[in-house]
Amino acid sequence: MAMADSDSRNDDILDRVAATIASRRGADPASSYVAALFAKGDDAILKKIGEEATETVMAAKDGDKLRIAAEIADLWFHCLVLLARHGMGPGDVRAELARREGTSGIAEKASRR
């Protein structure tokens, strides 16, 4: 499964999915899942993130690698929807990760206080 990380066609998948989400934001909610989520508002998006996070945890507890990947894909998708809702995208998360790179998790967390 780790070999997929080096597959160049997957390198910008988050950007491509984010662009698709952005293009469907104003679509008819009857014909677009993304548009329906946006129409329902933040609570619906946040609820989906919570559901997908729980399903990810359950898959991880079962040790089912295929299901873990599938559930994380669902979680990331809904996180991309939330980012779009706030005018953000994968680049914002990449920038934050880059800012934290090389800093211990303990030190980074302490700096948030």
Side-chain angles (χ1 to χ4, degrees), residues 1 6 13-14 19 31 35 41 43 45 51 67 71 79 98 103 105 108-109 113:
M1 197 83 180
S6 64
I13 188 64
L14 293 177
S31 65
D43 286 346
I45 297 167
E51 289 171 8
R67 205 168 116 233
E71 295 301 346
C79 288
T103 304
E108 194 284 323
K109 189 170 182 179
R113 293 186 184 140

Side-chain angles (χ1 to χ4, degrees), residues 72-88:
I72 290 176
D74 290 345
L75 177 59
W76 286 10
F77 174 84
H78 288 91
C79 288
L80 289 171
V81 171
L82 180 64
L83 286 169
R85 176 79 170 179
H86 291 278
M88 301 169 71

Side-chain angles (χ1 to χ4, degrees), residues 17-38:
V17 171
T20 299
I21 289 168
S23 74
R24 294 185 182 161
R25 184 175 185 159
D28 178 5
S31 65
S32 168
Y33 175 72
V34 169
L37 276 176
F38 279 118

Side-chain angles (χ1 to χ4, degrees), residues 54-65 67-69 71:
T54 299
E55 291 171 6
T56 298
V57 169
M58 291 168 43
K61 287 186 72 71
D62 291 342
D64 183 338
K65 291 181 181 181
R67 205 168 116 233
I68 291 168
E71 295 301 346

